[in-house]
């Protein structure tokens, strides 16, 4: 995991709920180690998913391959004309980590909003320690 990559894991999608919105589904999944659980609102028109799919998820502080911050550039300008982390993934969002909660024992809960599309992670404290209340990029690809 590079310095800019705060969290990286592969999840198996265990459920998909598309009842509330036309183009958005809420997916739930379990990590390959069965330690971390995910619930994510995702635009299925842009990135179709199905139960049983495996997705590789990365949370990163920047899209720069060398890990340098996006100082002075908006997130849309990152990577224009240059290679970026986003080039390696199929679905990329920019959002903010806005809340942490203690879970049972060594577990912690993390809440992130990507313009109203929410991500909820629950896992061991030691795996989610690099996450802080800050802006992050969500990068997804099927594995």
């Amino acid at each position: 995991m590079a310095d800019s990559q705060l969290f990286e894991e592969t999840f198996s999608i265990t459920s998909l709920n598309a009842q509330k919105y036309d183009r958005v589904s809420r997916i739930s999944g379990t990590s390959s180690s069965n330690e971390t659980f995910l619930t994510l609102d995702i635009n299925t028109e842009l990135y179709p998913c199905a139960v049983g799919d495996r997705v590789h998820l990365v949370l990163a502080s920047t899209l720069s391959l060398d890990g340098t911050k996006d100082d002075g550039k908006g997130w849309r300008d990152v990577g224009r004309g240059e290679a970026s982390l986003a080039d390696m993934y199929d679905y990329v969002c920019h959002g903010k980590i806005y809340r942490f909660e203690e879970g049972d024992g060594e577990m912690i809960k993390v809440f992130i909003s990507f313009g109203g599309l929410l991500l909820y992670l629950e896992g061991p404290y030691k795996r989610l320690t690099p996450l802080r209340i800050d802006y992050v990029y969500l990068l997804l690809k099927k594995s």
Side-chain angles (χ1 to χ4, degrees):
M1 214 166 29
D3 291 338
S4 65
Q5 295 181 11
L6 306 171
F7 178 79
E8 182 173 20
E9 187 66 76
T10 300
F11 291 89
S12 293
I13 298 175
T14 56
S15 70
L16 187 133
N17 182 345
Q19 295 175 349
K20 196 161 189 165
Y21 300 104
D22 291 336
R23 292 174 280 216
V24 175
S25 295
R26 179 162 283 176
I27 62 173
S28 297
T30 305
S31 68
S32 51
S33 64
N34 287 326
E35 287 185 321
T36 309
F37 305 97
L38 151 106
T39 301
L40 173 66
D41 296 339
I42 191 164
N43 184 330
T44 49
E45 187 176 69
L46 296 175
Y47 192 75
C49 295
V51 172
D53 284 353
R54 293 175 47 84
V55 292
H56 184 76
L57 178 139
V58 171
L59 294 174
S61 58
T62 179
L63 293 177
S64 299
L65 292 174
D66 62 3
T68 57
K69 284 286 189 185
D70 306 335
D71 296 330
K73 296 193 262 185
W75 65 271
R76 293 177 192 201
D77 296 327
V78 175
R80 285 218 179 160
E82 61 187 62
S84 77
L85 196 57
D87 297 334
M88 298 179 238
Y89 292 86
D90 303 320
Y91 186 81
V92 180
C93 294
H94 184 253
K96 182 166 183 156
I97 301 172
Y98 67 92
R99 189 169 85 198
F100 291 92
E101 288 182 2
E102 289 186 25
D104 300 329
E106 294 291 314
M107 300 294 269
I108 190 169
K109 300 172 184 177
V110 180
F111 298 85
I112 308 172
S113 176
F114 301 97
L117 298 178
L118 303 177
L119 168 61
Y120 163 79
L121 284 171
E122 182 175 359
Y125 179 79
K126 63 182 179 174
R127 289 278 292 131
L128 300 173
T129 298
L131 301 176
R132 303 277 184 257
I133 292 184
D134 200 2
Y135 291 98
V136 293
Y137 292 94
L138 165 80
L139 302 108
L140 276 181
K141 68 179 174 182
K142 294 201 175 151
S143 55

